Amino acid sequence: LLPLWCAGAALGAALGTASPERSLLLALPPLATLAAFALPTLERMVGALVDWFTLLFFSGCACIVWVVWIAMQTGVPWQPAANVERLAPGFVPSFSWVAFACALAATAAWLWLVKWRVGRHRAAIWKSLVLPAAGAALCWLLLMTLWLPLLDYARSDVALAQRIMRELPAGACAHGYRLNAEHSTALRFHGELQLKPLDQGGCQWLITTPETAGQLGTASGLSGWTRHAQHQHPVERDDKLLIYRRITAP
């Protein structure tokens, strides 16, 4: 009744809001819970097929995560390590005992659970739910422990902000011209850059994107800048920032 009530509330909210797709997203967890209740009602052959598919799929995903993580730490096997270097150039792996212990404990729990599931036990209504739920939790936990530094490097703008800051002198301020919220936040938080609006003046540096760089020479008040450097995100090659230096007095 609880997931049914939650799904009904989300579906009802979707009918009375201007953006129903956001409300419908809230219905996905209770709908998935309701769908899971159908597993004990499946025929024995179908249930066994689901169990074997779940066992092979999540075990394979866990093995891939572990192999790639070992390759990042040791360089062996070399092919996964080379793939990481090619897809995320400049990434420096780090080791955390806490993350390693959590991942190792989760993997041991999964192995014990698989051994219990394939053994002979008294039938339980929730027996067919154990492997899918535990496998999803295992893969999520491995990604959030072993692969979290790599995912953070690939998805965040930390590396781009650090590259920008290496081009600027210590304590310098810069103007941001039509930067999006992600770039502005990364430069202020990760780069600790004093980023000021263009109308305030006083900074010898300006940071913008290639899409808006062409307006510097034509828009009113934007002349007098020369291009200094260009840097791109190490993974998202289309994510670029340009650095301009003032050549005339502000």
Side-chain angles (χ1 to χ4, degrees), residues 1-16:
L1 292 177
L2 181 60
L4 185 62
W5 182 87
C6 293
L11 293 175
L15 298 177

PDB file of all heavy atoms in Angstrom, residues 1-16:
ATOM      1  N   LEU A   1       0.816  -1.210   0.000  1.00  0.00           N
ATOM      2  CA  LEU A   1       0.000   0.000   0.000  1.00  0.00           C
ATOM      3  C   LEU A   1       0.856   1.269   0.000  1.00  0.00           C
ATOM      4  O   LEU A   1       0.453   2.278  -0.597  1.00  0.00           O
ATOM      5  CB  LEU A   1      -0.924   0.008   1.227  1.00  0.00           C
ATOM      6  CG  LEU A   1      -2.038  -1.053   1.234  1.00  0.00           C
ATOM      7  CD1 LEU A   1      -2.833  -0.975   2.525  1.00  0.00           C
ATOM      8  CD2 LEU A   1      -2.942  -0.892   0.028  1.00  0.00           C
ATOM      9  N   LEU A   2       1.984   1.230   0.668  1.00  0.00           N
ATOM     10  CA  LEU A   2       2.831   2.425   0.728  1.00  0.00           C
ATOM     11  C   LEU A   2       3.362   2.828  -0.649  1.00  0.00           C
ATOM     12  O   LEU A   2       3.207   3.995  -1.047  1.00  0.00           O
ATOM     13  CB  LEU A   2       3.971   2.211   1.718  1.00  0.00           C
ATOM     14  CG  LEU A   2       4.919   3.395   1.904  1.00  0.00           C
ATOM     15  CD1 LEU A   2       4.162   4.609   2.417  1.00  0.00           C
ATOM     16  CD2 LEU A   2       6.048   3.030   2.857  1.00  0.00           C
ATOM     17  N   PRO A   3       3.977   1.930  -1.435  1.00  0.00           N
ATOM     18  CA  PRO A   3       4.415   2.360  -2.780  1.00  0.00           C
ATOM     19  C   PRO A   3       3.246   2.702  -3.690  1.00  0.00           C
ATOM     20  O   PRO A   3       3.359   3.577  -4.551  1.00  0.00           O
ATOM     21  CB  PRO A   3       5.201   1.152  -3.307  1.00  0.00           C
ATOM     22  CG  PRO A   3       4.746   0.006  -2.497  1.00  0.00           C
ATOM     23  CD  PRO A   3       4.420   0.554  -1.144  1.00  0.00           C
ATOM     24  N   LEU A   4       2.101   2.043  -3.513  1.00  0.00           N
ATOM     25  CA  LEU A   4       0.929   2.380  -4.317  1.00  0.00           C
ATOM     26  C   LEU A   4       0.455   3.793  -4.015  1.00  0.00           C
ATOM     27  O   LEU A   4       0.099   4.559  -4.922  1.00  0.00           O
ATOM     28  CB  LEU A   4      -0.181   1.366  -4.059  1.00  0.00           C
ATOM     29  CG  LEU A   4      -1.441   1.515  -4.911  1.00  0.00           C
ATOM     30  CD1 LEU A   4      -1.106   1.330  -6.388  1.00  0.00           C
ATOM     31  CD2 LEU A   4      -2.496   0.506  -4.486  1.00  0.00           C
ATOM     32  N   TRP A   5       0.480   4.162  -2.729  1.00  0.00           N
ATOM     33  CA  TRP A   5       0.062   5.517  -2.356  1.00  0.00           C
ATOM     34  C   TRP A   5       1.054   6.549  -2.894  1.00  0.00           C
ATOM     35  O   TRP A   5       0.650   7.599  -3.406  1.00  0.00           O
ATOM     36  CB  TRP A   5      -0.026   5.619  -0.834  1.00  0.00           C
ATOM     37  CG  TRP A   5      -0.491   6.962  -0.371  1.00  0.00           C
ATOM     38  CD1 TRP A   5      -1.764   7.389  -0.206  1.00  0.00           C
ATOM     39  CD2 TRP A   5       0.355   8.077  -0.028  1.00  0.00           C
ATOM     40  NE1 TRP A   5      -1.786   8.695   0.226  1.00  0.00           N
ATOM     41  CE2 TRP A   5      -0.500   9.150   0.338  1.00  0.00           C
ATOM     42  CE3 TRP A   5       1.731   8.267   0.014  1.00  0.00           C
ATOM     43  CZ2 TRP A   5      -0.008  10.380   0.737  1.00  0.00           C
ATOM     44  CZ3 TRP A   5       2.225   9.510   0.403  1.00  0.00           C
ATOM     45  CH2 TRP A   5       1.348  10.545   0.765  1.00  0.00           C
ATOM     46  N   CYS A   6       2.358   6.260  -2.804  1.00  0.00           N
ATOM     47  CA  CYS A   6       3.369   7.205  -3.300  1.00  0.00           C
ATOM     48  C   CYS A   6       3.261   7.382  -4.817  1.00  0.00           C
ATOM     49  O   CYS A   6       3.363   8.497  -5.336  1.00  0.00           O
ATOM     50  CB  CYS A   6       4.755   6.721  -2.920  1.00  0.00           C
ATOM     51  SG  CYS A   6       5.095   6.741  -1.147  1.00  0.00           S
ATOM     52  N   ALA A   7       3.045   6.286  -5.533  1.00  0.00           N
ATOM     53  CA  ALA A   7       2.897   6.382  -6.980  1.00  0.00           C
ATOM     54  C   ALA A   7       1.645   7.158  -7.353  1.00  0.00           C
ATOM     55  O   ALA A   7       1.652   7.972  -8.277  1.00  0.00           O
ATOM     56  CB  ALA A   7       2.871   4.986  -7.595  1.00  0.00           C
ATOM     57  N   GLY A   8       0.555   6.910  -6.630  1.00  0.00           N
ATOM     58  CA  GLY A   8      -0.670   7.653  -6.909  1.00  0.00           C
ATOM     59  C   GLY A   8      -0.532   9.136  -6.635  1.00  0.00           C
ATOM     60  O   GLY A   8      -1.052   9.971  -7.388  1.00  0.00           O
ATOM     61  N   ALA A   9       0.176   9.484  -5.561  1.00  0.00           N
ATOM     62  CA  ALA A   9       0.385  10.900  -5.254  1.00  0.00           C
ATOM     63  C   ALA A   9       1.214  11.584  -6.342  1.00  0.00           C
ATOM     64  O   ALA A   9       0.914  12.710  -6.754  1.00  0.00           O
ATOM     65  CB  ALA A   9       1.071  11.038  -3.898  1.00  0.00           C
ATOM     66  N   ALA A  10       2.253  10.910  -6.832  1.00  0.00           N
ATOM     67  CA  ALA A  10       3.073  11.501  -7.885  1.00  0.00           C
ATOM     68  C   ALA A  10       2.293  11.633  -9.193  1.00  0.00           C
ATOM     69  O   ALA A  10       2.406  12.641  -9.893  1.00  0.00           O
ATOM     70  CB  ALA A  10       4.332  10.661  -8.101  1.00  0.00           C
ATOM     71  N   LEU A  11       1.503  10.616  -9.530  1.00  0.00           N
ATOM     72  CA  LEU A  11       0.708  10.691 -10.753  1.00  0.00           C
ATOM     73  C   LEU A  11      -0.359  11.777 -10.646  1.00  0.00           C
ATOM     74  O   LEU A  11      -0.641  12.488 -11.619  1.00  0.00           O
ATOM     75  CB  LEU A  11       0.059   9.336 -11.033  1.00  0.00           C
ATOM     76  CG  LEU A  11       1.018   8.194 -11.395  1.00  0.00           C
ATOM     77  CD1 LEU A  11       0.254   6.881 -11.524  1.00  0.00           C
ATOM     78  CD2 LEU A  11       1.760   8.503 -12.686  1.00  0.00           C
ATOM     79  N   GLY A  12      -0.953  11.916  -9.468  1.00  0.00           N
ATOM     80  CA  GLY A  12      -1.935  12.984  -9.277  1.00  0.00           C
ATOM     81  C   GLY A  12      -1.299  14.361  -9.369  1.00  0.00           C
ATOM     82  O   GLY A  12      -1.901  15.293  -9.922  1.00  0.00           O
ATOM     83  N   ALA A  13      -0.077  14.501  -8.824  1.00  0.00           N
ATOM     84  CA  ALA A  13       0.602  15.788  -8.922  1.00  0.00           C
ATOM     85  C   ALA A  13       0.963  16.117 -10.358  1.00  0.00           C
ATOM     86  O   ALA A  13       0.973  17.284 -10.753  1.00  0.00           O
ATOM     87  CB  ALA A  13       1.861  15.775  -8.051  1.00  0.00           C
ATOM     88  N   ALA A  14       1.263  15.076 -11.168  1.00  0.00           N
ATOM     89  CA  ALA A  14       1.609  15.325 -12.563  1.00  0.00           C
ATOM     90  C   ALA A  14       0.437  15.889 -13.352  1.00  0.00           C
ATOM     91  O   ALA A  14       0.628  16.634 -14.313  1.00  0.00           O
ATOM     92  CB  ALA A  14       2.103  14.035 -13.219  1.00  0.00           C
ATOM     93  N   LEU A  15      -0.773  15.549 -12.948  1.00  0.00           N
ATOM     94  CA  LEU A  15      -1.956  16.048 -13.663  1.00  0.00           C
ATOM     95  C   LEU A  15      -2.250  17.506 -13.357  1.00  0.00           C
ATOM     96  O   LEU A  15      -2.947  18.162 -14.124  1.00  0.00           O
ATOM     97  CB  LEU A  15      -3.167  15.188 -13.309  1.00  0.00           C
ATOM     98  CG  LEU A  15      -3.084  13.711 -13.702  1.00  0.00           C
ATOM     99  CD1 LEU A  15      -4.319  12.960 -13.216  1.00  0.00           C
ATOM    100  CD2 LEU A  15      -2.930  13.562 -15.205  1.00  0.00           C
ATOM    101  N   GLY A  16      -1.742  18.009 -12.238  1.00  0.00           N
ATOM    102  CA  GLY A  16      -2.069  19.379 -11.847  1.00  0.00           C
ATOM    103  C   GLY A  16      -0.905  20.328 -11.854  1.00  0.00           C
ATOM    104  O   GLY A  16      -0.997  21.406 -11.260  1.00  0.00           O
TER     105      GLY A  16
END
